[in-house]
Amino acid sequence: MPAGHVNHNGVTASAVAAMVPTFPPPESESEESWVWAQIKAEAHRDADSEPALASFLYATVLSHPSLARSLAFHLANKLCSSTLLSTLLYDLFLQCFSSSPSLISAVVADLLAARHRDPACATFSHCLLNYKGFLAVQAHRVSHLLWTQNRRPLALALQSRIADVFAVDIHPAARIGKGLLLDHATGVVVGETAVIGNNVSMLHHVTLGGTGKAVGDRHPKIGDGVLIGAGATILGNIRIGEGAKIGAGSVVLIDVPPRTTAVGNPARLLGGKDKPSRHNDLPGESMDHTSFIQEWSDYII
């Protein structure tokens, strides 16, 4: 909508833009309240500028009084099937969100993570409505809650639908922290005993897998602030330390110390295993994928 154009409510485009809260959230407001206000303002703006989306935006965002209800409705309609009805899923998601405040806290952290770290994420509403990595993670949080409540057949059924719809396969028993970004997300696989910390970023086609038919604790443990590049495969009950970086396409079979970089197939530590090079930032938040390349090239020559 041009800046001087007046919409059907008599509001100019510049006035609509002014309704969108500033970024980042003010300290005087809870993050959840601020993010939900932002999402509604963005949805109003988009409905005015693109009438073809007005009904969709009203049904998914503007008709709901809270982020929990909006997300429950959207996930239910995304994941429903002819035998797993949207009304049943809506009640299930809403009950889980309402009974476990930590789930909505994690939702907000994941929205903020996408908005902060992904330059393609122009708005919170775009993430909420269109980012399949975000949606897969929120649905997984519900399946994990069901798993812990010993409602395992339903948790596994939900996992199957998540994999079918979003091409993201996370076992319901896997534990994941807040502020997780699955960027692009297609082909991400996370095994049963995997643990993912807070503020982790993972690209598409990442596998956190086992090494064979062994049972028990057999999957990777990912520390806070880790960045895992596209196509990386991490196998076995190994530890990726806080703030570590895993290069794209790497196959990791060893522990990776905190704040170090592992690259290659099989992966090796940048600088060598005895005195690996260390970085100061948290790459899971900075999204720095390539700063190691020159040093790695020098190391392998």
Side-chain angles (χ1 to χ4, degrees):
M1 182 168 62
H5 180 77
V6 178
N7 68 16
H8 62 275
N9 292 319
V11 180
T12 65
S14 58
V16 170
M19 296 175 188
V20 179
T22 56
F23 182 85
E27 294 181 359
S28 59
E29 223 176 339
S30 74
E31 285 186 336
E32 179 186 346
S33 297
W34 183 87
V35 167
W36 177 234
Q38 176 87 331
I39 289 169
K40 289 193 295 182
E42 292 165 355
H44 275 296
R45 181 193 62 201
D46 292 344
D48 285 337
S49 64
E50 184 49 79
L53 290 176
S55 294
F56 168 71
L57 291 168
Y58 179 80
T60 53
V61 176
L62 299 174
S63 65
H64 299 284
S66 67
L67 176 58
R69 287 183 177 272
S70 173
L71 180 58
F73 177 86
H74 191 41
L75 285 174
N77 281 278
K78 284 282 190 180
L79 295 172
C80 66
S81 68
S82 58
T83 54
L84 199 58
L85 302 182
S86 62
T87 50
L88 181 151
L89 288 177
Y90 173 75
D91 289 342
L92 174 68
F93 286 129
L94 186 58
Q95 179 186 30
C96 290
F97 291 147
S98 300
S99 64
S100 301
S102 62
L103 292 187
I104 290 298
S105 175
V107 169
V108 172
D110 292 350
L111 284 166
L112 288 167
R115 187 70 179 85
H116 288 167
R117 299 178 211 160
D118 184 357
C121 185
T123 65
F124 290 104
S125 59
H126 177 49
C127 180
L128 172 70
L129 299 175
N130 302 318
Y131 270 37
K132 67 178 184 177
F134 167 80
L135 293 170
V137 168
Q138 309 325 312
H140 164 76
R141 296 190 191 282
V142 172
S143 72
H144 179 70
L145 179 62
L146 296 172
W147 186 268
T148 63
Q149 294 172 344
N150 207 31
R151 301 175 69 183
R152 296 187 174 183
L154 182 55
L156 291 167
L158 188 55
Q159 175 201 2
S160 177
R161 287 300 298 156
I162 296 167
D164 288 346
V165 173
F166 300 127
V168 174
D169 193 355
I170 308 176
H171 192 282
R175 292 180 287 154
I176 61 177
K178 302 196 301 183
L180 175 62
L181 173 63
L182 297 188
D183 197 359
H184 300 290
T186 299
V188 167
V189 176
V190 179
E192 179 181 9
T193 61
V195 178
I196 302 174
N198 297 322
N199 301 315
V200 170
S201 294
M202 298 166 50
L203 277 288
H204 47 287
H205 292 290
V206 165
T207 296
L208 306 181
T211 57
K213 296 194 298 182
V215 296
D217 195 354
R218 61 196 185 279
H219 294 101
K221 310 299 181 281
I222 310 299
D224 296 345
V226 169
L227 173 63
I228 307 177
T233 299
I234 306 174
L235 299 178
N237 186 14
I238 60 176
R239 297 188 177 276
I240 310 300
E242 177 189 15
K245 184 187 304 185
I246 308 300
S250 299
V251 177
V252 184
L253 305 173
I254 58 173
D255 289 346
V256 178
R259 311 262 179 169
T260 64
T261 299
V263 186
N265 181 5
R268 292 182 289 174
L269 297 177
L270 187 63
K273 64 180 181 180
D274 295 327
K275 293 184 179 180
S277 300
R278 296 184 182 271
H279 45 258
N280 295 320
D281 67 329
L282 288 174
E285 298 180 18
S286 68
M287 300 299 287
D288 177 7
H289 289 268
T290 59
S291 62
F292 67 87
I293 288 178
Q294 184 58 52
E295 187 175 352
W296 175 252
S297 299
D298 296 341
Y299 173 68
I300 63 176
I301 290 175

